[in-house]
Amino acid sequence: MDIRQFDIPRYLSALPLFQESTSEELSRLATGCRLRRFARGDSIFRVGTPCEEFHVTVLGQVKLFALSPAGQEKVIELVGPGMSFAEALMFTGKPYIINAQALADTLLLSVDKATVEREIEADPRFAMRMLAGISRRLHGLVHDVQTYTLHSGMQRVISYLLHELPEESNDAASIALACAGHGHPQGPGGLNVTLPVSKATMASRLSLTPEYFSRVLHELEDAGLIRMDKREIHIPDAARLAAHTWPEPCSRRCMSAQAAVALPA
C-alpha cells in the first residue's frame, strides 16, 4: 500500500468514532493525522513518553503491555485493524503509562490532540462520540478484570476462542480496508480462528502461563472440541465448546491421583 495515496478522510469515515462526521469535519481531522509504518518488533511508544495523539491500527497488530520491576511482561491488549487506543490518556495531559510495540508489519494512523480538541469545541456532539468510544474501551477492560478474577483458566481460553475480537472492530476494519478478522464463523463446518500472536503472548493477554495455555488447548483437542494446526484452530461445534464444563487440567490430574490413592491394594 502506497501511504502517499491513502485516503485518510475516507478511512476515518469507516471507523465507529467518526461515522457520523461530515465530510468537512473529516477533512479537518485528516490535516491532524499522520501515517507511519512500523516493522515487526518496533517500539511505537514507551512508558513516560508524552501522549499528544491517539492511534488507530490500519494494518498489522499492536501489543500494549506493562513491565514489572523484574522485567516480566504483562500484555494489556492486542490492537488489530480498525481498533484505536490511547484516546482517554490523550486528554489527561499525562505521559504514556504502558508500552506499545508492533507485533507484525504495521501501518498506524495517529490523530493529533490539538485537532481533536478543535473539533470538540466546534461541535459538542463530537465530544459525545469520543466519550462513547472511551466508554466502550472501559467496559471492555472491566469485562477483562471480571473474566480474570471470576473465570477459570479453561473458561478464559474458551471465551477467547469464541469471541476473539469485538464485533465492531472487525466491521470497521472490513469496511475501511476489506480486511478479514482473525476469526470468522462458517456454516455447518464450524468456526475457524487464527491466533494473531504467539502462544506466549496470548497466554499473557489471558493472564495464564504459556505452559498452562498450551495444556488447555491440547486438552480441548483431545476432547474433540477443537482441531489445531499451528496457529490455526478449527472449532467443529461452537455451542458444544461453549457448554464445556470439564474441571481445570490440574484439578483433573489431582482427582485422578486421589482416585488412584483410594483404590485398594
Short mmCIF file of all heavy atoms in Angstrom, two decimals, residues 162-192:
data_model
loop_
_atom_site.label_atom_id
_atom_site.label_comp_id
_atom_site.label_asym_id
_atom_site.label_seq_id
_atom_site.Cartn_x
_atom_site.Cartn_y
_atom_site.Cartn_z
N LEU A 162 -14.11 -18.17 21.26
CA LEU A 162 -15.45 -17.91 20.74
C LEU A 162 -15.68 -16.43 20.44
O LEU A 162 -16.50 -16.07 19.61
CB LEU A 162 -16.51 -18.41 21.73
CG LEU A 162 -16.54 -19.93 21.94
CD1 LEU A 162 -17.57 -20.29 23.02
CD2 LEU A 162 -16.87 -20.65 20.65
N HIS A 163 -14.96 -15.58 21.13
CA HIS A 163 -15.19 -14.13 20.98
C HIS A 163 -13.84 -13.43 20.89
O HIS A 163 -13.50 -12.64 21.76
CB HIS A 163 -15.98 -13.58 22.16
CG HIS A 163 -17.20 -14.36 22.48
ND1 HIS A 163 -18.36 -14.30 21.73
CD2 HIS A 163 -17.47 -15.25 23.48
CE1 HIS A 163 -19.27 -15.09 22.25
NE2 HIS A 163 -18.76 -15.69 23.30
N GLU A 164 -13.09 -13.73 19.84
CA GLU A 164 -11.72 -13.24 19.79
C GLU A 164 -11.61 -11.73 19.71
O GLU A 164 -10.83 -11.12 20.43
CB GLU A 164 -10.97 -13.87 18.61
CG GLU A 164 -9.53 -13.44 18.57
CD GLU A 164 -8.79 -13.99 17.36
OE1 GLU A 164 -9.39 -14.73 16.60
OE2 GLU A 164 -7.63 -13.65 17.20
N LEU A 165 -12.38 -11.11 18.82
CA LEU A 165 -12.31 -9.65 18.67
C LEU A 165 -13.69 -9.05 18.78
O LEU A 165 -14.68 -9.68 18.39
CB LEU A 165 -11.72 -9.28 17.30
CG LEU A 165 -10.25 -9.58 17.08
CD1 LEU A 165 -9.88 -9.23 15.66
CD2 LEU A 165 -9.39 -8.79 18.05
N PRO A 166 -13.78 -7.77 19.30
CA PRO A 166 -15.08 -7.10 19.34
C PRO A 166 -15.68 -7.01 17.95
O PRO A 166 -14.99 -6.72 16.98
CB PRO A 166 -14.74 -5.71 19.88
CG PRO A 166 -13.44 -5.88 20.60
CD PRO A 166 -12.70 -6.96 19.86
N GLU A 167 -16.97 -7.22 17.87
CA GLU A 167 -17.64 -7.24 16.57
C GLU A 167 -17.45 -5.94 15.82
O GLU A 167 -17.20 -5.92 14.62
CB GLU A 167 -19.13 -7.51 16.77
CG GLU A 167 -19.91 -7.57 15.46
CD GLU A 167 -21.39 -7.84 15.68
OE1 GLU A 167 -21.77 -8.14 16.82
OE2 GLU A 167 -22.16 -7.72 14.71
N GLU A 168 -17.56 -4.78 16.54
CA GLU A 168 -17.45 -3.51 15.84
C GLU A 168 -16.06 -3.30 15.26
O GLU A 168 -15.89 -2.63 14.25
CB GLU A 168 -17.81 -2.34 16.77
CG GLU A 168 -16.92 -2.21 18.00
CD GLU A 168 -17.48 -2.94 19.19
OE1 GLU A 168 -18.24 -3.91 18.98
OE2 GLU A 168 -17.16 -2.57 20.33
N SER A 169 -15.02 -3.88 15.89
CA SER A 169 -13.68 -3.70 15.36
C SER A 169 -13.51 -4.43 14.04
O SER A 169 -12.93 -3.91 13.10
CB SER A 169 -12.65 -4.22 16.38
OG SER A 169 -12.69 -3.46 17.55
N ASN A 170 -14.03 -5.65 13.96
CA ASN A 170 -13.95 -6.39 12.70
C ASN A 170 -14.71 -5.65 11.61
O ASN A 170 -14.29 -5.57 10.46
CB ASN A 170 -14.53 -7.79 12.88
CG ASN A 170 -13.56 -8.72 13.59
OD1 ASN A 170 -12.37 -8.52 13.53
ND2 ASN A 170 -14.08 -9.71 14.27
N ASP A 171 -15.90 -5.10 11.98
CA ASP A 171 -16.69 -4.39 10.99
C ASP A 171 -15.94 -3.17 10.48
O ASP A 171 -15.90 -2.91 9.28
CB ASP A 171 -18.03 -3.95 11.61
CG ASP A 171 -18.96 -5.13 11.87
OD1 ASP A 171 -18.69 -6.21 11.33
OD2 ASP A 171 -19.92 -4.95 12.61
N ALA A 172 -15.35 -2.40 11.38
CA ALA A 172 -14.64 -1.20 10.97
C ALA A 172 -13.49 -1.54 10.05
O ALA A 172 -13.27 -0.87 9.03
CB ALA A 172 -14.13 -0.46 12.21
N ALA A 173 -12.75 -2.56 10.40
CA ALA A 173 -11.59 -2.94 9.58
C ALA A 173 -12.03 -3.41 8.21
O ALA A 173 -11.41 -3.07 7.20
CB ALA A 173 -10.78 -4.02 10.29
N SER A 174 -13.10 -4.20 8.16
CA SER A 174 -13.52 -4.75 6.87
C SER A 174 -14.10 -3.66 5.98
O SER A 174 -13.90 -3.67 4.77
CB SER A 174 -14.56 -5.86 7.08
OG SER A 174 -15.70 -5.37 7.75
N ILE A 175 -14.82 -2.71 6.59
CA ILE A 175 -15.38 -1.63 5.79
C ILE A 175 -14.28 -0.74 5.26
O ILE A 175 -14.28 -0.34 4.10
CB ILE A 175 -16.38 -0.80 6.64
CG1 ILE A 175 -17.60 -1.65 6.97
CG2 ILE A 175 -16.80 0.47 5.89
CD1 ILE A 175 -18.56 -0.98 7.94
N ALA A 176 -13.31 -0.42 6.13
CA ALA A 176 -12.27 0.52 5.74
C ALA A 176 -11.28 -0.08 4.76
O ALA A 176 -10.81 0.59 3.86
CB ALA A 176 -11.53 1.01 6.98
N LEU A 177 -10.94 -1.35 4.94
CA LEU A 177 -9.87 -1.94 4.13
C LEU A 177 -10.23 -3.28 3.51
O LEU A 177 -9.40 -3.90 2.89
CB LEU A 177 -8.62 -2.13 4.99
CG LEU A 177 -7.92 -0.85 5.44
CD1 LEU A 177 -6.90 -1.17 6.51
CD2 LEU A 177 -7.24 -0.20 4.26
N ALA A 178 -11.46 -3.75 3.76
CA ALA A 178 -11.86 -5.07 3.30
C ALA A 178 -10.94 -6.14 3.87
O ALA A 178 -10.61 -7.11 3.21
CB ALA A 178 -11.89 -5.14 1.78
N CYS A 179 -10.52 -5.89 5.13
CA CYS A 179 -9.64 -6.85 5.80
C CYS A 179 -10.49 -7.84 6.58
O CYS A 179 -11.41 -7.45 7.29
CB CYS A 179 -8.70 -6.14 6.78
SG CYS A 179 -7.47 -5.13 5.95
N ALA A 180 -10.17 -9.12 6.48
CA ALA A 180 -10.89 -10.11 7.26
C ALA A 180 -10.42 -10.07 8.69
O ALA A 180 -9.28 -9.73 8.98
CB ALA A 180 -10.65 -11.51 6.68
N GLY A 181 -11.33 -10.46 9.63
CA GLY A 181 -10.94 -10.55 11.03
C GLY A 181 -10.13 -11.81 11.26
O GLY A 181 -9.97 -12.65 10.37
N HIS A 182 -9.60 -11.98 12.47
CA HIS A 182 -8.80 -13.16 12.79
C HIS A 182 -9.67 -14.40 12.91
O HIS A 182 -9.21 -15.51 12.69
CB HIS A 182 -8.05 -12.94 14.09
CG HIS A 182 -6.99 -11.89 13.99
ND1 HIS A 182 -5.93 -11.99 13.11
CD2 HIS A 182 -6.86 -10.71 14.62
CE1 HIS A 182 -5.17 -10.92 13.23
NE2 HIS A 182 -5.71 -10.13 14.13
N GLY A 183 -10.92 -14.25 13.30
CA GLY A 183 -11.81 -15.40 13.40
C GLY A 183 -13.07 -15.13 12.62
O GLY A 183 -13.59 -14.02 12.62
N HIS A 184 -13.59 -16.13 11.90
CA HIS A 184 -14.81 -15.89 11.15
C HIS A 184 -15.67 -17.14 11.20
O HIS A 184 -15.21 -18.25 10.98
CB HIS A 184 -14.50 -15.50 9.70
CG HIS A 184 -13.66 -16.49 8.96
ND1 HIS A 184 -12.29 -16.54 9.09
CD2 HIS A 184 -14.00 -17.49 8.11
CE1 HIS A 184 -11.81 -17.50 8.33
NE2 HIS A 184 -12.83 -18.09 7.75
N PRO A 185 -16.98 -16.94 11.48
CA PRO A 185 -17.88 -18.08 11.55
C PRO A 185 -18.16 -18.66 10.18
O PRO A 185 -18.23 -17.93 9.19
CB PRO A 185 -19.16 -17.48 12.17
CG PRO A 185 -19.09 -16.03 11.85
CD PRO A 185 -17.65 -15.68 11.79
N GLN A 186 -18.29 -19.94 10.13
CA GLN A 186 -18.64 -20.61 8.89
C GLN A 186 -19.98 -21.29 9.07
O GLN A 186 -20.60 -21.22 10.12
CB GLN A 186 -17.58 -21.64 8.52
CG GLN A 186 -16.21 -21.01 8.26
CD GLN A 186 -15.17 -22.05 7.90
OE1 GLN A 186 -15.30 -23.21 8.25
NE2 GLN A 186 -14.15 -21.62 7.18
N GLY A 187 -20.41 -21.96 8.03
CA GLY A 187 -21.69 -22.64 8.09
C GLY A 187 -21.59 -23.91 8.90
O GLY A 187 -21.09 -23.92 10.01
N PRO A 188 -22.05 -25.03 8.34
CA PRO A 188 -22.02 -26.30 9.08
C PRO A 188 -20.62 -26.71 9.47
O PRO A 188 -20.43 -27.50 10.37
CB PRO A 188 -22.64 -27.29 8.08
CG PRO A 188 -23.44 -26.44 7.12
CD PRO A 188 -22.70 -25.14 7.03
N GLY A 189 -19.58 -26.17 8.79
CA GLY A 189 -18.21 -26.57 9.08
C GLY A 189 -17.68 -26.05 10.39
O GLY A 189 -16.64 -26.48 10.84
N GLY A 190 -18.35 -25.12 11.02
CA GLY A 190 -17.91 -24.62 12.30
C GLY A 190 -17.23 -23.27 12.20
O GLY A 190 -17.55 -22.45 11.34
N LEU A 191 -16.28 -23.05 13.09
CA LEU A 191 -15.63 -21.75 13.23
C LEU A 191 -14.12 -21.91 13.11
O LEU A 191 -13.54 -22.82 13.69
CB LEU A 191 -15.98 -21.17 14.60
CG LEU A 191 -15.38 -19.83 14.99
CD1 LEU A 191 -16.09 -18.70 14.27
CD2 LEU A 191 -15.49 -19.62 16.50
N ASN A 192 -13.49 -21.04 12.36
CA ASN A 192 -12.04 -21.04 12.25
C ASN A 192 -11.48 -19.82 12.95
O ASN A 192 -11.97 -18.71 12.76
CB ASN A 192 -11.60 -21.02 10.78
CG ASN A 192 -11.78 -22.38 10.13
OD1 ASN A 192 -11.78 -23.40 10.81
ND2 ASN A 192 -11.92 -22.38 8.82
#
